Amino acid sequence: PNSIRVNRGKKTLEDLFLYALASRVDRIVIVNCVKGNPSSILVYNVDLDSKVMKRRYLIKILGVKLWREVENNIKIYDPKSICVDVSEIEDDESLRLCDIIRDILHAKLVTDEEMIRDFDVKVEIYRRNMKFTIRFIHPQTNRIGGPVIRVGRAIVYEES
């Protein structure tokens, strides 16, 4: 929600930073690819006042299944609100990833099922062994409305 998509092409990180300043956005999210497949998500915070960019997160991607590749999917048109469902989170690593996703997407952490229905998109995070799965769900129908992302790990770069 509330994002601007830019095809990077041959743009440098500095070009993206200048574009972010001109567009008045507070973060840059870069999806890195290897052989055409997403391999990581790199997030930079942009301080519009001091005109500084700082690396904040790196998420290592193990695989992605697009929403159109999932049976019984639904297209979510022009979502305005997003939440991260933490009602079934039982361990610290999963909660940490939920908080990272919340921060990247400007989402709300939610535990109440009734509140979740008020959002356009619900993010669910599951852990199996040391790997995570992130799913984007349409809360009213409980159908997948975005990619299913398998994550190996997430790195938080400390703010200085």
Side-chain angles (χ1 to χ4, degrees):
N2 304 313
S3 60
I4 301 170
R5 182 172 190 246
V6 176
N7 285 334
R8 183 173 179 185
K10 294 188 179 191
K11 292 179 185 73
T12 65
L13 193 52
E14 184 177 349
D15 293 337
L16 294 174
F17 174 60
L18 294 173
Y19 186 85
L21 289 175
S23 301
R24 308 281 307 154
V25 298
D26 65 348
R27 65 195 61 225
I28 298 170
V29 178
I30 299 171
V31 178
N32 294 309
C33 294
V34 173
K35 297 183 181 178
N37 295 310
S39 61
S40 65
I41 299 171
L42 188 54
V43 180
Y44 291 88
N45 284 351
V46 176
D47 186 326
L48 298 170
D49 295 326
S50 61
K51 296 181 174 43
V52 173
M53 176 177 68
K54 293 182 181 173
R55 184 171 54 178
R56 185 68 180 127
Y57 303 111
L58 175 65
I59 298 174
K60 297 285 193 170
I61 297 174
L62 301 174
V64 174
K65 185 181 280 190
L66 301 177
W67 72 271
R68 65 179 179 265
E69 298 172 330
V70 177
E71 287 185 36
N72 199 27
N73 63 34
I74 188 169
K75 176 74 172 157
I76 302 173
Y77 291 97
D78 195 26
K80 299 287 186 217
S81 60
I82 188 166
C83 69
V84 179
D85 181 2
V86 294
S87 61
E88 297 185 27
I89 299 299
E90 297 177 353
D91 64 281
D92 290 342
E93 279 301 304
S94 297
L95 188 58
R96 181 174 162 271
L97 182 58
C98 287
D99 195 49
I100 290 169
I101 298 301
R102 176 210 49 84
D103 187 39
I104 292 171
L105 299 177
H106 292 285
K108 302 271 189 224
L109 292 179
V110 180
T111 58
D112 181 6
E113 193 66 37
E114 290 302 314
M115 285 183 64
I116 289 171
R117 294 188 186 284
D118 294 335
F119 291 88
D120 297 325
V121 179
K122 170 179 76 168
V123 179
E124 294 179 339
I125 296 177
Y126 297 98
R127 182 176 184 180
R128 180 174 289 156
N129 300 324
M130 292 305 293
K131 297 177 178 75
F132 301 90
T133 299
I134 302 172
R135 300 186 329 158
F136 296 85
I137 307 291
H138 183 255
Q140 289 76 26
T141 62
N142 212 31
R143 292 164 55 191
I144 292 180
V148 177
I149 304 170
R150 289 184 300 115
V151 172
R153 65 183 185 145
I155 299 169
V156 178
Y157 297 99
E158 296 303 318
E159 296 186 48
S160 53

